[in-house]
């Protein structure tokens, strides 16, 4: 079975390497970037199946980069990662398929990538208790 191709966008170098180490055994990591503009360029050239992106990065946020890629006709599944769980519902409503709280990456990130690679929505257990997956996300 073919491995999912993953692109990683994280502005913190140590965190970026941690994400690569978490995913490299199970998935094909096709690249990594440190800001939103580089994420767009890398996605256009490598055409990954899934993008794992920090929410807050220089130049463009992860959600802004996702919007630019969607406007360019690229429908790539996004898993957002952040230490801040505020806004999870907005990320999913905007078109992201996954959210993982950074402190939970070691036990949730690979599961989230596999889920969104298959078209499912994955939301970290750390999401606010009032969070519910929007109906629009369930119909993708």
């Amino acid at each position: 079975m073919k491995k999912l191709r993953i692109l990683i966008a994280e502005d913190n170098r140590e965190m970026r390497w941690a994400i690569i180490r978490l995913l490299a055994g199970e998935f094909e990591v096709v690249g990594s970037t440190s800001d939103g503009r580089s994420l767009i360029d890398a996605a256009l050239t490598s055409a990954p199946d899934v993008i794992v992106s920090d929410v807050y990065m220089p130049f463009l946020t992860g959600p802004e980069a996702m919007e630019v890629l969607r406007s360019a006709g690229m429908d790539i599944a996004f898993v957002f990662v952040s230490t801040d769980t505020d806004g999870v519902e907005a990320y999913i409503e905007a078109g992201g398929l996954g959210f993982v709280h950074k402190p939970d990456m070691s036990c949730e990130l690979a599961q989230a990538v596999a889920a969104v690679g298959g078209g499912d929505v994955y939301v970290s257990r750390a999401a606010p208790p009032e969070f519910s997956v929007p109906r629009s996300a369930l119909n993708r």
Side-chain angles (χ1 to χ4, degrees), residues 10-139:
E10 166 62 58
D11 59 326
N12 179 284
R13 184 176 47 161
E14 289 80 20
M15 186 64 68
R16 190 169 54 250
W17 282 110
I19 294 170
I20 291 168
R21 283 190 305 273
L22 282 170
L23 299 178
E26 192 170 337
F27 307 102
E28 180 185 351
V29 177
V30 296
S32 66
T33 67
S34 61
D35 65 71
R37 284 189 199 142
S38 297
L39 166 57
I40 292 166
D41 293 339
L44 291 171
T45 59
S46 65
D49 300 309
V50 177
I51 294 174
V52 175
S53 176
D54 189 6
V55 170
Y56 303 106
M57 293 184 296
F59 306 119
L60 291 171
T61 66
E64 289 169 340
M66 179 182 69
E67 182 62 32
V68 170
L69 289 168
R70 291 245 159 54
S71 295
M74 296 195 77
D75 190 23
I76 301 169
F78 266 75
V79 174
F80 292 110
V81 295
S82 181
T83 57
D84 183 3
T85 59
D86 291 339
V88 174
E89 195 162 2
Y91 306 142
I92 302 300
E93 286 177 352
L97 286 181
F99 175 84
V100 175
H101 192 227
K102 281 185 179 179
D104 295 326
M105 284 193 321
S106 65
C107 60
E108 291 190 17
L109 189 56
Q111 183 179 355
V113 169
V116 305
D120 294 326
V121 174
Y122 183 96
V123 177
S124 185
R125 62 184 177 194
E130 66 276 4
F131 176 79
S132 64
V133 176
R135 282 194 191 286
S136 59
L138 297 174
N139 296 325

